[in-house]
Amino acid sequence: MVHASPAGPSGTGKVTVNFSAKLKTAGVTNIAEVDRARIRAFREENLGKRDVQPLVATNAQMAYTAQVGVGDPATEYTLLIDTGSSNTWVGACRPYTRTSSSHRTGSSVAVTYGSGGFSGYEYIDTISFENGFSIKEQSIGVADQSHGLADSGIDGILGIGPKDLTRGTTSNADYVSTVVDNLYSEGTISSAVVGVYFIPISDSSSGQLTFGGYDSSVITTPVNYVPITNTFPSSGFWGIDQSISYDEKEILPTSAGIVDTGTTLILIATDAFQTYQAATGGILDQETGLLTITQEQYDNLKPLSFIIGKKRYDLSANAQIWPRSLNSALGGSGDAIYLVVSDIGTSSGCGLDFVDGYTFLERYYSVYDTSNDRVGFASTAYTKSASN
């Protein structure tokens, strides 16, 4: 679980939240299937059903949480940080406390998850973080019923996904203004942008969330942007177009997929995965759901390349494997080598053919720009880390 410690307003129209990650080591089976369940929930948008999936409901392996105050005086809640959902809500564990800043709108609110969800009422209230920055008029879902977060110690979600993901979640409005929307409209940040910086868990288990821009001090190349894809259903998320190559040979032609902090692995279309499996010689491990390779095969791994816009983002051999010191957290063998590329569960051409999840994002800084409908990437000091 990740606990955030906000650094407060920087005086440059940006607010930074530092967090540290914790790997969950109990109750996790078949991490690949856990990630696929999250993406299946995303795809239900095709059926007209809002089915936004938070990290905890489908990805029990990692959690990124911030300590967020709600109300005046504030009650502190532990909320998941999720780019794959956009509503902010509380009440899964700690009950909501009404204060002088609380205003019930009269609207009901409900969000359904693949293996969880909540329903309740909408309030407008103040959200605050340590060191002084706050949002004065934020829509908050207050759960009177919830499932999927029981006994997790997590009280709800801090949604930083696109506003479109709030469509149909409240009874009195088509959409809900997100945390990023309101930070921008209230003048706390100068642009509706979020930068996400992960340090590989095998290095330090920490990272940083920057509202209002990105942290130039942690990147080693310029940020390169691409527009949000027009392809449905990826277009409703932080979706982009990219192609993927292994050893200079294309395994996935240019297609649409999403960038998602709440997915642990890199998921690719079934046909691309089969090509990757054949090229690497990986054997599917039934316990973890991951491909396993020998030391000799690891020594012969070639770069896995993501071509996004006009830029190429390579994953080295080391970046393609799960941290070996953390194999036990997957229920795996301590001396095994597991690949972090897995099957998304559908063939290419479905409109959501890949997910660039945490194991990609720990190697590249990512920027989510609501103002300009684009996503950006940059290298960091950890892009070529060999710590796995």
Side-chain angles (χ1 to χ4, degrees):
M1 244 159 254
V2 186
H3 297 288
S5 178
S10 65
T12 59
K14 294 189 289 186
V15 172
T16 297
V17 175
N18 299 312
F19 56 79
S20 59
K22 182 179 179 182
L23 193 67
K24 185 173 180 180
T25 58
V28 176
T29 58
N30 200 317
I31 187 174
E33 182 52 39
V34 164
D35 274 355
R36 280 191 289 272
R38 177 178 172 91
I39 304 311
R40 283 196 296 270
F42 284 167
R43 283 204 182 93
E44 290 191 12
E45 174 68 9
N46 279 312
L47 303 177
K49 177 182 178 182
R50 173 58 55 203
D51 204 356
V52 179
Q53 187 75 10
L55 182 148
V56 71
T58 58
N59 189 344
Q61 199 61 34
M62 297 270 191
Y64 304 90
T65 68
Q67 302 304 121
V68 179
V70 178
D72 184 15
T75 300
E76 187 174 89
Y77 298 91
T78 301
L79 302 185
L80 281 168
I81 302 167
D82 191 7
T83 61
S85 60
S86 300
N87 293 79
T88 293
W89 63 276
V90 300
C93 293
R94 176 171 290 183
Y96 176 68
T97 301
R98 295 182 62 177
T99 68
S100 61
S101 63
S102 305
H103 170 66
R104 183 167 171 174
T105 67
S107 179
S108 61
V109 58
V111 181
T112 303
Y113 308 104
S115 58
F118 87 98
S119 61
Y121 301 95
E122 182 190 35
Y123 280 77
I124 302 297
D125 211 335
T126 296
I127 289 182
S128 57
F129 297 83
E130 296 175 8
N131 295 337
F133 81 90
S134 64
I135 307 167
K136 298 298 183 185
E137 298 286 331
Q138 179 61 47
S139 169
I140 299 288
V142 175
D144 60 7
Q145 294 184 10
S146 68
H147 55 287
L149 292 175
D151 302 319
S152 67
I154 296 170
D155 300 308
I157 304 291
L158 180 68
I160 58 172
K163 186 175 182 177
D164 283 354
L165 293 180
T166 68
R167 179 174 55 85
T169 57
T170 59
S171 61
N172 290 348
D174 291 334
Y175 297 93
V176 172
S177 292
T178 68
V179 167
V180 177
D181 291 335
N182 286 334
L183 281 170
Y184 179 58
S185 65
E186 293 180 10
T188 304
I189 58 177
S190 58
S191 57
V193 176
V194 179
V196 178
Y197 174 54
F198 291 119
I199 297 175
I201 194 167
S202 53
D203 279 290
S204 89
S205 306
S206 64
Q208 181 184 92
L209 187 70
T210 300
F211 292 103
Y214 59 88
D215 185 349
S216 59
S217 71
V218 300
I219 60 176
T220 58
T221 64
V223 177
N224 293 293
Y225 293 95
V226 292
I228 297 295
T229 183
N230 292 319
T231 302
F232 185 82
S234 296
S235 55
F237 300 87
W238 291 115
I240 61 172
D241 297 317
Q242 73 177 21
S243 64
I244 303 176
S245 297
Y246 178 78
D247 191 20
E248 306 289 345
K249 300 177 181 67
E250 187 173 75
I251 64 173
L252 182 67
T254 300
S255 58
I258 66 173
V259 184
D260 182 36
T261 60
T263 299
T264 298
L265 303 173
I266 297 163
L267 301 181
I268 60 177
T270 299
D271 43 321
F273 173 74
Q274 290 170 344
T275 303
Y276 177 77
Q277 180 178 8
T280 60
I283 297 173
L284 189 63
D285 175 68
Q286 298 299 323
E287 292 298 317
T288 63
L290 302 180
L291 294 177
T292 183
I293 57 173
T294 65
Q295 181 64 49
E296 181 180 2
Q297 289 168 328
Y298 171 73
D299 293 338
N300 290 316
L301 275 183
K302 307 302 182 184
L304 182 66
S305 303
F306 300 69
I307 295 81
I308 305 172
K310 297 181 180 180
K311 297 295 181 180
R312 169 173 161 164
Y313 302 86
D314 287 338
L315 292 187
S316 65
N318 191 264
Q320 293 174 58
I321 67 170
W322 182 257
R324 283 165 282 192
S325 62
L326 300 174
N327 281 354
S328 61
L330 301 176
S333 171
D335 58 356
I337 302 175
Y338 297 103
L339 296 172
V340 297
V341 178
S342 191
D343 184 359
I344 202 170
T346 53
S347 297
S348 58
C350 293
L352 204 172
D353 291 346
F354 61 84
V355 181
D356 295 344
Y358 169 80
T359 45
F360 176 84
L361 298 172
E362 68 179 359
R363 301 293 178 154
Y364 291 98
Y365 193 99
S366 55
V367 182
Y368 308 87
D369 186 345
T370 299
S371 297
N372 297 293
D373 292 326
R374 61 183 184 172
V375 179
F377 301 95
S379 297
T380 76
Y382 296 95
T383 296
K384 296 181 180 180
S385 171
S387 60
N388 288 342

